[in-house]
Amino acid sequence: MEFKKILERDSKVSWKKYVPTLSIDCAIFSFKDSSLQVLTIKMKGQDSFGLPGGYVQKDENIDDAAIRILKNRTGTENIYLQQFYTFGNLNRSEGVFKDYDDSLWNKQRFISIGYYALTDHAKVNLNIDDISTACEWKSIDDLPPFMMDHREILDKALITLREQLSNHPIGYNLLPEKFTMPELQKLYEIILDKKLNRGNFYRKILRYDILTKLDESRKGGAHKAPDLYSFNLEEYNKALKEGFKGSW
Amino acid sequence: MEFKKILERDSKVSWKKYVPTLSIDCAIFSFKDSSLQVLTIKMKGQDSFGLPGGYVQKDENIDDAAIRILKNRTGTENIYLQQFYTFGNLNRSEGVFKDYDDSLWNKQRFISIGYYALTDHAKVNLNIDDISTACEWKSIDDLPPFMMDHREILDKALITLREQLSNHPIGYNLLPEKFTMPELQKLYEIILDKKLNRGNFYRKILRYDILTKLDESRKGGAHKAPDLYSFNLEEYNKALKEGFKGSW
């Protein structure tokens, strides 16, 4: 079906089904090939990319709406999903639906609640729906142009993610179950976009007590086999909820 | 005018003037008598207290709405105001307007964007409007019962404020222009709700480079007159925007 027809058909349903004024946009991150990646979609009729999003049903909590939207796009749930900021400037979508009737649902003013998610690359099954032509991972080092204010939403998600690193653990869902210290440090360096001192990083991360040193090491390299670690999920989840102790 | 009549009169205007579904609630903090205080209001017909709030005009950015709401209640602007979380569970206001017609604006489902503000106690002029019976500061150590989910909103504001301390400076607008190190440490202790080690606090806060040591000291006590400091606003505002360097 033609894109315009689909939108007009969906519009009637949307007015009945969703709460007005509110949308959700998701910055879904994953870690692959030593790079932080973000999930992008391309809507039919648009040249630029966008973040996957959706609306809040009238009988739905906003967190549940975010989980549903994420599941529709990636096939996964039970992943780390965090609301980070709400974007409400006037004219956020100006221009995008200018050729449509003013009664079109999508043409209304929307205030968008941003969520970010950290997902395991291997578990995600991307889903292209009938209003998009692409759904793909992009490295944050090589981003395409974004529609509307989606680049601003993504940048704010990244800033939040970086700031969260001072108070909260990260890595679960992004690293394999068993990983080496250099791999964990690399993840931090990529998110923070800077080199870290090895000794300081080790001291700090070990003090947070979220790692379990395994009784095995990574075989195969030319060097001494590096020790393997996994997250102590009990401590990890506690720190995720309550924050690290003793930052001040 | 009777409260019910006022609400019904305002309801008609609100449907035309504001974007549907969205409200704003503000946790407005101040520091007085060695205690962190939060501004509360009491709505007519309610036994419990609430946070001051309002709605977003159709031609208004959400940040501007928050500034307007804050100004209406406190008479001040140009104060530190920060969006921190959006609250969108179903039935947030269940019960509050149960005796009213379903068409009442206030009875609709609202998703509320939370903002917190840090204000100078001395500069605030509290304003009781025609739907409230009280507008007053309450110490966070001795809080009254709150209506709806306003206690949850306040608690989340406090958590955010505490977490922000790892990455951002605090104190401007809360302390007098000139202050001593013990006064600054006391502010941190009150917000974090724990005692801090004096030496660690001094080292850490000085490393952030946001203080200017003044060429004067506080006279009058029995002990050695303590040195006075002020914030270096250029560095302070930079750190507010960009975060402290080198937390990792």
Side-chain angles (χ1 to χ4, degrees), chain B residues 34-53:
Chain B
S34 292
S35 121
L36 190 66
Q37 313 215 338
V38 64
L39 192 62
T40 63
I41 56 154
K42 204 169 191 172
M43 243 171 52
K44 285 178 181 167
Q46 290 292 315
D47 291 330
S48 48
F49 285 78
L51 300 173

Side-chain angles (χ1 to χ4, degrees), chain B residues 26-86:
Chain B
C26 297
I28 304 171
F29 295 107
S30 200
F31 187 57
K32 196 177 179 241
D33 304 332
S34 292
S35 121
L36 190 66
Q37 313 215 338
V38 64
L39 192 62
T40 63
I41 56 154
K42 204 169 191 172
M43 243 171 52
K44 285 178 181 167
Q46 290 292 315
D47 291 330
S48 48
F49 285 78
L51 300 173
Y55 305 104
V56 181
Q57 291 171 11
K58 284 183 176 166
D59 59 352
E60 195 177 40
N61 293 331
I62 57 172
D63 285 353
D64 295 329
I67 291 167
R68 174 178 53 78
I69 290 164
L70 191 70
K71 193 181 171 189
N72 283 349
R73 281 291 174 190
T74 64
T76 57
E77 44 194 335
N78 295 323
I79 62 177
Y80 185 65
L81 183 70
Q82 183 71 43
Q83 188 204 116
F84 65 94
Y85 205 75
T86 295

Side-chain angles (χ1 to χ4, degrees), chain B residues 84-127:
Chain B
F84 65 94
Y85 205 75
T86 295
F87 301 83
N89 277 351
L90 290 163
N91 311 324
R92 290 183 54 240
S93 62
E94 200 167 58
V96 179
F97 299 102
K98 63 180 185 309
D99 299 334
Y100 290 80
D101 193 88
D102 284 348
S103 68
L104 186 82
W105 169 261
N106 309 63
K107 200 177 176 176
Q108 309 310 305
R109 177 179 182 188
F110 284 100
I111 280 136
S112 194
I113 309 174
Y115 281 80
Y116 73 84
L118 306 178
T119 65
D120 183 342
H121 208 279
K123 289 191 189 145
V124 170
N125 289 306
L126 299 184
N127 175 33

Side-chain angles (χ1 to χ4, degrees), chain A residues 20-22 57-62 83 86 88-90 109 111 163 165-168 201 204 247-248, chain B residues 20-22 57-62 83 86 88-90 109 111 163 165-168 204 247-248:
Chain A
T21 319
L22 257 198
Q57 291 171 11
K58 285 184 174 165
D59 60 352
E60 195 177 40
N61 293 331
I62 57 173
Q83 189 204 114
T86 295
N89 277 351
L90 290 162
R109 178 178 181 189
I111 281 137
E163 292 197 353
L165 290 193
S166 306
N167 293 298
H168 300 277
F201 178 80
K204 200 155 179 178
S247 134
W248 267 96
Chain B
T21 318
L22 257 197
Q57 291 171 11
K58 284 183 176 166
D59 59 352
E60 195 177 40
N61 293 331
I62 57 172
Q83 188 204 116
T86 295
N89 277 351
L90 290 163
R109 177 179 182 188
I111 280 136
E163 292 196 353
L165 291 193
S166 306
N167 292 299
H168 300 278
K204 201 155 177 175
S247 133
W248 268 96

